[in-house]
């Protein structure tokens, strides 16, 4: 097993997650099996109870683990399936050590940070690195480990010390360290400054870790003199200083690293049994990046949510939209709308903000209402859904977005004026969305129905599945609430169909509306399984409908199952023809891939 540790300096949020994912991508393109671990030094057990404004979205894994959004990057870039133990926190480590101490496993010894905490960290990493993450179930060969935060943070000290010991335990040829640092370029002088990187590396080396590669984040390409200066003061060869300048798309980062000889360095440093030239996987990444840069047509999506001031709150949603837009060869324009701005109260208090929000909504080609919690802004979302339904604008509701679509239809079509979710109005006479039986209201963390579940499609007329009784596993991330099954017949009599249900038929998972170009709601979160090369079907359908291509796409015989929309040879395909023309591939005809 080879271990690659990615640390960061100067500032947090410097791009360690994308760089760690990109390193894994270029190594996987060489035929190696790669896994990834994210270490977060905070004391929380997991990310499940975080506000979206704290660390961005909470990414949910197949086993129900609520983890840092960087694990979403790993899954998307590497096309792997991680588990909750791939996200290691200070809370998890201390909890496991304290549990051992309570059971008497330490035989009366004084339990200390060194060696007990540091040993627990090393054991966790070595154990988790060997867990298969690909569909073939084969043990990985390389583990990329990202240490969150910045070098010098008090909370990350036990992890730094653990890896200082770890490098000797696994031997030098099996461990290397990538340090990601910032090279600022003040506008006053226009000169690239190396001092922050020098100080960061000096501190890291003082803690016992010497970086093998220094990846410099900068706004423009590093000048040779700057590279040489970093090399001289940071005790590395100039070839070990890698420039990671700002690029047009994050999909260019693996190509950027590969072009600077990172694969060759790893072959020599870690004695990897591979060819130095990556295979066709990177060719597809190059084609995808080239396609991204030459897009001309534009498609706008109104994202109506509660946390729009911090885009990382919807990181996976945005990525899923980008994947789908790229697949249909359109440039994506996301119009962020705070749902509260669409409500009548805003018209009274801040009329300019109200009219700006409605102008954005009305000018968008499609509308997306993502998940969320709490009553704030829900009426604004219902107004947006109502407008999408009446104006026949393509619409996708995810989780809470689907529940509110049910509420909107009940109020305005079934004429149940007080129809609502028991989450917001427990005394409603028409509770169209109700508590789930497994909901535990006395506890905040770990109370949702999480992880991969099976959804069964009950109709042959569904946009999302044209095949009868089509079954597939989907990643389900449901709140504590679900659509009231007792009222199902009232909706279906008016053309509002629950086309996908769980195995027991108790939970409504997918909705579609008759006589509408694309009005779809899903109780699960399909964005978590979207991939750059295989976009998620509900989002893919939304983008196709918003671009006016959905009907021609379906009429030519292809369903919305995820498939590889890129050729095996860069430049050998025409993107528009690949997406719009019919596909008679085995994947499309049999629907054998998982419907996410």
């Amino acid at each position: 097993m080879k271990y690659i540790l990615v640390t960061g300096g100067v500032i947090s949020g410097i791009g360690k997650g994308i760089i760690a994912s990109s390193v894994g991508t270029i190594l996987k393109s060489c035929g190696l099996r790669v896994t990834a671990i994210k270490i977060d030094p905070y004391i929380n057990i997991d990310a499940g109870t975080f506000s979206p404004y704290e660390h961005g979205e909470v990414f949910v894994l197949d086993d129900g683990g609520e983890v840092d959004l960087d694990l979403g990057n790993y899954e998307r870039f590497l096309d792997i399936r991680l588990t909750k133990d791939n996200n290691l926190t200070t809370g998890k480590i201390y909890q496991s050590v304290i549990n051992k101490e309570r059971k008497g496993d330490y035989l009366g010894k004084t339990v200390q940070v060194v060696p007990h905490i540091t040993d627990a960290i090393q054991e966790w990493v070595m154990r988790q690195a060997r867990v298969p993450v690909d569909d073939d179930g084969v043990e990985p060969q390389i583990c990329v480990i990202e240490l969150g935060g910045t070098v010098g943070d008090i909370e990350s000290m036990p992890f730094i010390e653990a890896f200082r010991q770890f490098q000797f335990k696994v031997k030098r040829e099996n461990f290397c360290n990538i340090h990601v640092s910032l090279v600022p370029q003040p506008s006053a002088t226009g000169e690239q400054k190396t001092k922050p990187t020098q100080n960061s590396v000096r501190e890291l080396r003082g803690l016992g870790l010497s970086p093998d590669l220094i990846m410099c984040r900068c706004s423009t390409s590093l000048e040779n003199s700057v590279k040489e200066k970093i090399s001289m003061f940071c005790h590395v060869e100039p070839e070990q200083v890698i420039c990671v300048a700002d690029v047009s798309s994050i999909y260019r980062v693996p190509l950027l690293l590969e072009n600077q000889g990172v694969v060759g360095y790893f072959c020599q440093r870690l004695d990897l049994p591979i060819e130095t030239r990556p295979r066709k996987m990177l060719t597809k990444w190059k084609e995808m990046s080239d396609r991204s840069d030459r897009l001309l047509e534009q498609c706008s999506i109104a994202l109506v949510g509660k946390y729009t001031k911090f885009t990382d709150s919807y990181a996976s949603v945005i990525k899923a939209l980008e994947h789908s837009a790229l697949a249909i060869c359109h440039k994506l324009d996301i119009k962020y709308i705070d749902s509260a701005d669409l409500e009548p109260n805003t018209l009274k208090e801040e009329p300019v903000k109200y009219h700006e929000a409605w102008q954005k909504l009305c000018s968008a080609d499609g509308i997306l209402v993502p998940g969320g919690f709490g009553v704030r802004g829900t009426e604004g979302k219902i107004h947006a859904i109502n407008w999408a339904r009446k104006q026949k604008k393509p619409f996708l509701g995810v989780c809470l977005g689907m529940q509110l679509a049910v509420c909107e239809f009940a109020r305005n079509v079934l004429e149940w004026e007080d129809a609502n979710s028991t989450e917001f109005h427990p005394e409603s006479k028409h509770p169209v969305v109700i508590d789930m039986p497994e909901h535990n209201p006395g506890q905040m963390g770990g109370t949702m129905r999480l992880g991969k579940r099976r959804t069964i499609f009950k109709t042959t007329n569904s946009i999302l599945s044209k095949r009868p009784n089509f079954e597939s596993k989907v990643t389900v991330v449901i709140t504590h609430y679900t659509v009231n099954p007792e009222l199902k017949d009232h909706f279906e009599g008016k053309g509002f169909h629950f086309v996908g249900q769980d195995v027991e038929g108790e939970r409504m998972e997918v909705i579609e509306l008759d006589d509408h170009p694309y009005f779809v709601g899903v109780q699960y979160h399909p964005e978590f399984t979207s991939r750059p090369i295989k976009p998620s079907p509900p989002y893919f359908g939304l983008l196709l409908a918003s671009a006016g291509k959905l009907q021609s796409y379906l009429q030519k015989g292809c369903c919305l199952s995820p498939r590889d929309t890129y050729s095996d040879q860069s430049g050998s395909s025409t993107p528009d023809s690949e997406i719009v023309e019919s596909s008679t591939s085995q994947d499309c005809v049999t629907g054998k891939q998982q419907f996410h």
Side-chain angles (χ1 to χ4, degrees):
M1 175 65 66
K2 310 291 184 181
Y3 300 91
I4 300 173
L5 174 66
V6 180
T7 56
V10 186
I11 60 171
S12 59
I14 200 171
K16 296 188 300 296
I18 296 298
I19 288 174
S21 302
S22 300
V23 166
T25 299
I26 59 177
L27 291 173
K28 186 170 183 177
S29 72
C30 296
L32 295 167
R33 294 183 295 278
V34 182
T35 186
I37 293 174
K38 172 67 188 297
I39 296 175
D40 287 303
Y42 48 67
I43 297 176
N44 303 63
I45 299 297
D46 61 29
T49 55
F50 279 147
S51 160
Y53 290 124
E54 281 286 316
H55 287 270
E57 76 168 9
V58 177
F59 191 82
V60 181
L61 303 170
D62 279 2
D63 66 351
E66 298 171 280
V67 297
D68 185 83
L69 59 83
D70 275 321
L71 275 80
N73 285 325
Y74 304 156
E75 287 204 350
R76 283 187 287 268
F77 272 68
L78 299 171
D79 196 14
I80 55 178
R81 300 288 187 193
L82 301 174
T83 67
K84 58 187 175 185
D85 286 341
N86 286 85
N87 191 194
L88 179 55
T89 68
T90 297
K92 285 182 180 179
I93 286 294
Y94 273 80
Q95 186 180 58
S96 67
V97 170
I98 290 170
N99 288 341
K100 282 186 177 182
E101 187 273 332
R102 291 289 86 189
K103 289 190 293 184
D105 289 359
Y106 297 115
L107 302 176
K109 291 184 178 179
T110 303
V111 180
Q112 298 174 292
V113 173
V114 180
H116 301 101
I117 295 295
T118 53
D119 284 353
I121 293 168
Q122 295 173 64
E123 290 164 8
W124 190 300
V125 168
M126 294 181 76
R127 180 177 66 250
Q128 195 60 30
R130 300 188 180 278
V131 175
V133 292
D134 290 305
D135 293 335
D136 58 13
V138 179
E139 185 178 298
Q141 297 166 287
I142 294 181
C143 180
V144 180
I145 307 158
E146 179 192 348
L147 177 57
T150 56
V151 170
D153 292 345
I154 292 174
E155 59 261 36
S156 64
M157 287 300 182
F159 295 100
I160 295 284
E161 172 58 22
F163 285 108
R164 185 195 68 77
Q165 300 171 21
F166 189 71
Q167 64 186 332
F168 301 111
K169 180 181 287 187
V170 299
K171 307 302 180 188
R172 173 177 164 77
E173 64 272 15
N174 296 320
F175 178 89
C176 76
N177 175 212
I178 297 173
H179 188 63
V180 184
S181 185
L182 177 69
V183 177
Q185 192 169 0
S187 57
T189 62
E191 182 184 359
Q192 293 177 327
K193 297 294 184 180
T194 65
K195 192 64 72 178
T197 298
Q198 293 179 43
N199 291 337
S200 178
V201 172
R202 184 184 303 117
E203 184 159 15
L204 182 63
R205 295 185 67 205
L207 295 170
L209 286 173
S210 187
D212 297 284
L213 289 175
I214 300 174
M215 296 202 175
C216 300
R217 287 285 292 111
C218 43
S219 55
T220 57
S221 296
L222 279 184
E223 299 168 9
N224 285 334
S225 59
V226 174
K227 264 193 175 186
E228 289 169 2
K229 190 173 182 181
I230 292 172
S231 165
M232 180 171 62
F233 284 103
C234 297
H235 200 62
V236 293
E237 294 286 344
E239 294 75 24
Q240 293 169 259
V241 180
I242 307 297
C243 170
V244 187
D246 294 345
V247 287
S248 58
S249 163
I250 60 171
Y251 308 124
R252 287 211 173 274
V253 179
L255 305 171
L256 188 68
L257 300 184
E258 195 271 328
N259 288 339
Q260 295 181 70
V262 170
V263 172
Y265 178 79
F266 283 135
C267 286
Q268 169 261 319
R269 174 67 177 76
L270 296 174
D271 192 24
L272 298 177
I274 58 172
E275 300 176 11
T276 57
R277 187 170 180 274
R279 296 177 175 82
K280 66 180 181 181
M281 181 178 168
L282 271 195
T283 305
K284 292 185 179 183
W285 279 80
K286 185 178 187 308
E287 182 179 349
M288 183 168 56
S289 301
D290 291 343
R291 180 186 293 188
S292 176
D293 288 344
R294 66 175 183 246
L295 297 177
L296 297 176
E297 292 185 89
Q298 185 167 289
C299 184
S300 60
I301 300 295
L303 194 159
V304 184
K306 295 172 62 173
Y307 316 111
T308 52
K309 293 176 183 175
F310 185 42
T311 56
D312 268 359
S313 301
Y314 299 109
S316 291
V317 170
I318 294 167
K319 297 302 178 191
L321 289 171
E322 289 176 353
H323 301 163
S324 297
L326 200 53
I328 66 167
C329 307
H330 277 61
K331 188 178 294 183
L332 178 66
D333 175 26
I334 300 179
K335 299 176 183 290
Y336 296 98
I337 302 173
D338 189 324
S339 55
D341 293 345
L342 299 172
E343 297 176 357
N345 284 341
T346 306
L347 176 60
K348 297 176 185 176
E349 298 170 3
E350 298 180 87
V352 174
K353 186 179 286 187
Y354 174 84
H355 289 296
E356 285 177 349
W358 273 101
Q359 192 277 330
K360 285 183 184 178
L361 185 75
C362 296
S363 62
D365 298 316
I367 297 171
L368 169 65
V369 179
F373 293 90
V375 69
R376 182 181 67 82
T378 53
E379 291 302 317
K381 292 183 179 182
I382 288 175
H383 285 304
I385 294 166
N386 176 263
W387 193 87
R389 180 177 60 81
K390 287 183 174 180
Q391 301 298 321
K392 297 190 183 300
K393 281 282 185 182
F395 164 79
L396 175 62
V398 176
C399 195
L400 179 63
M402 168 186 152
Q403 296 173 9
L404 294 178
V406 173
C407 294
E408 188 280 327
F409 193 86
R411 292 181 188 181
N412 298 302
V413 179
L414 301 182
E415 298 181 347
W416 298 343
E417 292 183 3
D418 72 333
N420 214 323
S421 166
T422 55
E423 179 181 3
F424 313 128
H425 185 17
E427 306 304 321
S428 171
K429 294 179 182 179
H430 296 96
V432 293
V433 178
I434 59 174
D435 295 56
M436 292 196 316
E438 55 265 60
H439 177 208
N440 176 10
Q443 187 173 330
M444 288 293 288
T447 61
M448 293 192 293
R449 180 170 171 253
L450 302 171
K452 183 173 276 191
R453 301 288 192 276
R454 185 176 294 277
T455 289
I456 300 176
F457 286 85
K458 299 289 188 180
T459 175
T460 60
N461 296 320
S462 164
I463 291 177
L464 293 184
S465 172
K466 293 292 185 181
R467 303 181 62 223
N469 297 320
F470 181 70
E471 293 186 1
S472 189
K473 294 178 181 177
V474 297
T475 295
V476 178
V477 189
I478 300 185
T479 66
H480 311 306
Y481 301 86
T482 188
V483 175
N484 190 343
E486 294 180 3
L487 304 176
K488 182 179 74 169
D489 292 342
H490 294 278
F491 287 88
E492 298 204 327
K494 294 286 188 177
F496 192 95
H497 300 287
F498 298 95
V499 298
Q501 302 172 18
D502 70 351
V503 176
E504 293 81 19
E506 295 177 354
R507 294 179 178 83
M508 307 300 113
E509 307 284 9
V510 184
I511 62 165
E512 289 184 15
L513 180 64
D514 285 348
D515 193 29
H516 195 286
Y518 191 82
F519 192 97
V520 172
V522 291
Q523 182 63 81
Y524 57 96
H525 285 246
E527 64 268 19
F528 291 146
T529 50
S530 182
R531 300 288 181 264
I533 295 176
K534 293 181 181 179
S536 168
Y539 286 90
F540 189 41
L542 175 66
L543 266 295
L544 281 170
S546 301
K549 295 184 177 182
L550 178 61
Q551 290 308 314
S552 62
Y553 184 82
L554 294 175
Q555 286 168 6
K556 301 210 176 172
C558 195
C559 57
L560 295 183
S561 57
R563 66 185 188 92
D564 189 340
T565 56
Y566 296 85
S567 68
D568 288 340
Q569 299 296 326
S570 180
S572 66
S573 63
T574 303
D576 281 320
S577 62
E578 268 200 338
I579 301 303
V580 179
E581 289 182 6
S582 74
S583 169
T584 55
S585 68
Q586 188 70 10
D587 299 60
C588 184
V589 174
T590 65
K592 70 179 181 180
Q593 293 158 306
Q594 290 183 343
F595 175 83
H596 298 304

